Every structure is written in C-alpha cells, then in structure tokens.
Amino acid sequence: MTVSVNSAALSGIEAVIITVETRICAGVSYFIIGLPDDAVKESLFRVDSAIAACELQMPRQKILVSMAPAGMRKQGAVFDLPIALSILAASGQLPAEKLDVFLFTGELSLNGKLRPVAGALSVAMEARRAGLKGIILPLENAEEAAIVSDLAVYGFGNLADVIHFLNGELEAEPVHIKTRELFTTKQGLYTADFSDVRGQEKVKRALEIMAAGGHNGLLIGPPGTGKTMLASRLPSVLPPLTLAEALETTRIYSVANLLDSVGLMTERPFRAPHHTASDIALVGGGSVPQPGEISLAHNGVLFMDELPEFKRRVLEVLRQPLEEREIAISRANFSARFPANFILLAAMNPCPCGFFGHPHRKCTCTAQAVRQYISKLSGPLLDRIDLHIGVGPVNMESEPAAERSETIRERVMTARNWQYGRSGCINALLNTAMVKAFCSLKTTEQQVLNQAMVHYKLSARSYDRILKVARTIADLAGAKNIALEHLSEAISYRQLDKDYLSR
C-alpha cells in the first residue's frame, strides 16, 4: 500500500509543497529517495524511536519513502512528522484518508516530542495557496502559522497527540489569531528617541532626508561624536510598518529562526553586523540557505559601523543588493532569493587615528595613511551612498533641547505621501524614466548641477542620486518643483568624501 502525505520545504523565504510517499512491501530494509540530505536520511531512526514511544509498531519490512519533486534537495528534520504518519498509515495503524487535507511539518525527538521548525509562516501560506484544509505542526509554531487567515492551524506537543487527533480520539480547536488586532496592539513607540541627542542638527537633518526618501547615508567623524547613537535612532523616524511589510519581515525572521514568542514583527529591523562579519554572513547562504544580515534588515536599516574595517570583498557584495533590492544566492545544489530592501547607514572615522580635521585634537596619521584608509571604499560603493555626512564634536552646554522622533516622523510620512501619490514609490527607488519625469530642473539649477559634476568629477550614477535627494528635500519642504536651495543642499551631501580624497 502506498500512502501520500503533504509537507513543505523552504526555498529562500518561499515554501514548496513536498509530497512524502511511503510504500511498505516484503523485505527488511529502509530507503529514503528524492535527494535527501543527511538529516533527512537520519529521520527513520528518530521516527522508529518516536513510534515506539507511542506504543505503536514500526514495520519490520521494506519501507520505501519517496519525496517529490525528486529533483529538489530536501534538507533538515522538518519531514520527521510526515514520514512517521505516512509509515503508520501505510502499515494500517492510521486512517490514510484523513491525511490528504492537511500539511504536516515538525521534527521528532526520540521520545516522540515535536520540536519547533523554522519558516512556519511561509509553510502555512503555501498550505493555504495549495487549497489544503489545515496544517499540523509543533505547538511552539502554532501562533506564528495562525497569522495566516482561512487556514485551520493545529499545534501539538508530541506525536501521540497528533495520532489521537487523526484517529478522532482527541478533540482539538484550531489556533486563532486576529492578525490585524495583534498588529495594531503590538505597534508601539521606539525606546530610542532623537530627543536624547543634543546638538548635531545638521546630521539629524540628513537622517530625516534619508528616512523621507529611503536614501543611503555615510556618517564621517571622529570617535565620540555620537555616530552610533544617531544611527540607532533612524528607525524611530521611519514610517510604521504596513501589515504587508510586517508579514514579509516576519517570514524572513521565521526562516532564520530568529522570531520571538509573539510571532509577528511590527517594528522596523535595525541590524548592526560586526566589521569581522564574512560575506556569507552578510548576504546569506550556507549549506542550508539562510538569510544574511542584508535580508534581516529588509524594510529596516542596515548599520555598518567602522565601514573601512570590513573586508573589501564584504563591502563589494553590497553593490548588487543596493541596486536590485534582493539577494540571489546560487550554488551547485540550489538557488534561492531573499528580499533586501533596506536603508544602508554606515559610519567611519576620517582616518586611522580618528582625528583628521578635528578642531581640537591633532591627527597623528600621515597623508598617505589617510588616503589608504579612505581608498578602502571603492568608488562604485560610494556612488551608491546618497548622502555623505560630516559629524563633528558637540558642545553639550550650548546645545538646545532636541526634537522628538515622533515630530520628525510626521514630516517624513507627509513627504512619503507626496512621493507615493506622484510615482507610486519612494524617491530612492525611482528609475531613470521617473527621474526624468519627476526630478526635472530649470535652466539655472541645471547649470549648477553640471558645474558640480565637473568640479567634483562625479559619476553618472551620482547625477541621478543627487536629483533624487533634491526631490526628497523639495518634498519635505512641500515644494512642487526642485528649487536651487534644494539642489544645493543635495550637492552638499556629495562633497564630503571628495574633500577627504582631495586632501
């Protein structure tokens, strides 16, 4: 007798339906086919012990388990539960007809306990798309999966309870989550607020522009000027996540197994990898494809402190996702795509000792050392960073009280509403045709921009990015057209790195 059970595997943040087919016939051997990895091959040992713990019988015959589609590599222990149920159904210990309407996923311990799995939200979404009645999975994953509406989600703590439920010996209610209500109640204020920052008004102005247009930025200044403190408060002025963005962000963290017990992310991510991080840690990958820091920052902020201290190879992998807004990982055995729509905010010292150009401290670096330090950042990478912002020392006694993040966020949201109404996207995502249509300049402004391009030897990519930043500044001012003051401010944010390089 051959029995089929529905399960799922992850490909990036998407789930793919996997059909687990089991046949029991004469013989004494066990086989799993369909490109299983070692964890899947070992599942029969866990299944054998778990079935025995339920006081049922593991057949001592030839057991052939086939996992389709056969050409897709199967990874991890998530198939333990469907394999166990298919074996019990094929051996007549479980009614096979009750298995067709559910999707099953879960890892089994030797005593039959169900252990949580990664990617439960994506799996539940795929189960609903496939038209299945419900999903049965570990109890710890139930609330996360229940975020998906129009799907019966059952969470159980062990294999025995699943068997009793399918046999009709145990009544269980599906887990219900009012997603919109949960989303609304979980949304709250950030603990880090711009009112904590005294001074640095020019820097805060630049961060407001970044938030309003979704632009990337680089903070350059000596140690102790508050670069990290300022960066950590950027998410507090970004617009709140929409429900669609929250679900997508939750899926990424679910696949990475980084979700907390609540199950739905409602605050924009802020990721700050250490400068010793590898390129794999940044972009993702590995033998079992996992999202990296770039994807974990999706819909939020990726903060890279001490930018020149990152390896050159790590920095260069940023270039493609900054343009494409996604990561494509290709290996010999798999390919996966992870979203990567984030704001890059980086910080660096102006030189190795950190005091080049400082008004009160003397720099101990040679001119060559300063040039070598700055040259660690390639031109193509700097071109993709829209605002280069100087951060100087602060006189705490003379600075007035700061503006609250909530006030800044209101201006940011107003500017973004202008952008969505005009082009359907934020200014950082404008394509070439949209730049021509929405960022046009009058004669005087065009001449100023042309002169700046020649004087600072800027690239064609910088030209478009200056126009996008100028458009954002105009939106913050409520202006229909880009005026000279908007353009001049945008150009000023491209000067800093050229000034350092020219020295």
Side-chain angles (χ1 to χ4, degrees):
M1 178 181 180
T2 301
V3 172
S4 298
V5 175
N6 300 305
S7 189
L10 295 173
S11 177
I13 67 168
E14 302 294 334
V16 179
I17 294 291
I18 302 295
T19 302
V20 178
E21 298 178 305
T22 298
R23 182 184 180 191
I24 299 177
C25 53
V28 290
S29 54
Y30 299 162
F31 297 98
I32 297 181
I33 59 176
L35 293 182
D37 70 352
D38 290 340
V40 179
K41 292 176 183 177
E42 294 169 352
S43 66
L44 284 173
F45 297 101
R46 294 188 293 272
V47 167
D48 188 348
S49 178
I51 289 177
C54 297
E55 298 182 352
L56 295 173
Q57 188 67 40
M58 181 75 168
R60 302 308 173 190
Q61 297 173 275
K62 180 180 178 180
I63 300 177
L64 176 61
V65 178
S66 175
M67 310 178 78
M72 179 180 178
R73 189 161 185 81
K74 319 304 184 304
Q75 298 173 319
V78 298
F79 302 106
D80 288 0
L81 178 60
I83 289 175
L85 296 176
S86 65
I87 290 175
L88 291 173
S91 60
Q93 301 178 75
L94 193 66
E97 62 273 9
K98 291 192 175 182
L99 302 179
D100 296 337
V101 297
F102 290 106
L103 184 147
F104 301 89
T105 183
E107 177 184 348
L108 288 172
S109 67
L110 296 182
N111 62 2
K113 181 180 178 181
L114 276 171
R115 291 174 172 159
V117 296
L121 179 56
S122 294
V123 171
M125 294 175 71
E126 180 63 16
R128 183 181 64 178
R129 189 202 64 80
L132 296 174
K133 175 184 175 182
I135 178 173
I136 293 178
L137 73 175
L139 186 61
E140 291 88 340
N141 295 121
E143 288 192 4
E144 175 191 339
I147 293 173
V148 179
S149 58
D150 301 323
L151 182 73
V153 176
Y154 296 92
F156 294 100
N158 54 67
L159 176 61
D161 287 344
V162 177
I163 295 170
H164 293 323
F165 172 73
L166 294 173
N167 279 328
E169 300 167 354
L170 174 67
E171 292 186 3
E173 292 294 326
V175 179
H176 291 289
I177 296 292
K178 295 181 179 179
T179 307
R180 292 191 179 275
E181 184 178 317
L182 175 65
F183 177 69
T184 303
T185 55
K186 279 193 64 181
Q187 278 191 321
L189 297 176
Y190 290 86
T191 55
D193 195 277
F194 267 110
S195 61
D196 302 328
V197 183
R198 298 181 64 84
Q200 303 294 12
E201 297 303 318
K202 292 183 179 179
V203 183
K204 285 185 282 188
R205 164 67 174 174
L207 294 177
E208 181 179 340
I209 295 170
M210 288 178 57
H215 304 290
N216 304 315
L218 172 63
L219 304 176
I220 305 178
T225 53
K227 299 189 293 294
T228 302
M229 184 180 186
L230 286 158
S232 65
R233 281 150 178 78
L234 179 58
S236 69
V237 299
L238 291 172
L241 284 172
T242 64
L243 181 57
E245 289 174 333
L247 287 171
E248 189 174 32
T249 306
T250 301
R251 292 176 69 187
I252 297 171
Y253 277 72
S254 173
V255 169
N257 212 13
L258 294 176
L259 271 185
D260 58 23
S261 57
V262 180
L264 182 65
M265 295 191 63
T266 56
E267 292 186 352
R268 294 191 180 272
F270 180 83
R271 303 295 299 185
H274 193 261
H275 62 260
T276 57
S278 67
D279 52 340
I280 296 294
L282 204 64
V283 304
S287 57
V288 178
Q290 291 289 310
E293 292 291 340
I294 286 176
S295 294
L296 293 172
H298 181 64
N299 290 324
V301 177
L302 177 67
F303 177 55
M304 300 182 70
D305 201 4
E306 305 293 345
L307 189 65
E309 301 301 329
F310 283 82
K311 296 178 182 178
R312 183 68 175 260
R313 178 179 175 180
V314 174
L315 293 178
E316 293 308 306
V317 300
L318 284 170
R319 290 162 55 180
Q320 183 263 342
L322 286 175
E323 292 288 343
E324 303 294 334
R325 303 290 173 165
E326 70 172 5
I327 284 287
I329 301 172
S330 297
R331 300 290 186 269
N333 297 325
F334 69 87
S335 62
R337 289 185 176 273
F338 294 103
N341 185 13
F342 60 93
I343 294 177
L344 172 64
L345 178 56
M348 61 178 286
N349 295 330
C351 66
C353 78
F355 297 106
F356 179 72
H358 195 282
H360 309 301
R361 300 284 297 273
K362 183 178 180 180
C363 175
T364 59
C365 305
T366 64
Q368 182 180 2
V370 175
R371 284 194 298 270
Q372 289 179 343
Y373 183 74
I374 300 295
S375 66
K376 291 181 180 180
L377 308 179
S378 68
L381 177 61
L382 286 174
D383 277 347
R384 288 168 170 82
I385 299 178
D386 306 327
L387 293 88
H388 310 149
I389 310 150
V391 185
V394 181
N395 185 344
M396 295 296 295
E397 295 181 358
S398 62
E399 296 295 341
E403 198 173 25
R404 291 186 59 82
S405 292
E406 186 177 359
T407 305
I408 301 173
R409 180 191 282 188
E410 290 176 0
R411 296 197 295 266
V412 167
M413 293 176 66
T414 300
R416 286 206 175 195
N417 288 337
W418 278 94
Q419 296 166 41
Y420 285 120
R422 181 176 56 236
S423 61
C425 66
I426 57 177
N427 289 333
L429 301 182
L430 294 176
N431 58 33
T432 302
M434 290 177 177
V435 170
K436 291 181 179 179
F438 305 124
C439 304
S440 59
L441 300 176
K442 295 180 181 179
T443 303
T444 302
E445 288 78 6
Q446 187 65 60
Q447 290 175 348
V448 170
L449 180 55
N450 292 341
Q451 291 171 2
M453 293 294 295
V454 173
H455 181 73
Y456 295 113
K457 299 181 177 62
L458 301 176
S459 67
R461 182 181 287 111
S462 299
Y463 180 91
D464 276 359
R465 291 183 178 269
I466 289 173
L467 287 176
K468 293 177 184 179
V469 173
R471 179 67 265 176
T472 299
I473 295 171
D475 291 337
L476 284 169
K480 183 177 180 181
N481 299 312
I482 299 175
L484 183 59
E485 61 266 24
H486 307 142
L487 180 64
S488 299
E489 185 177 359
I491 293 173
S492 71
Y493 293 123
R494 301 296 305 189
Q495 292 179 7
L496 189 58
D497 63 318
K498 305 302 177 184
D499 289 344
Y500 275 110
L501 290 171
S502 65
R503 291 196 221 181

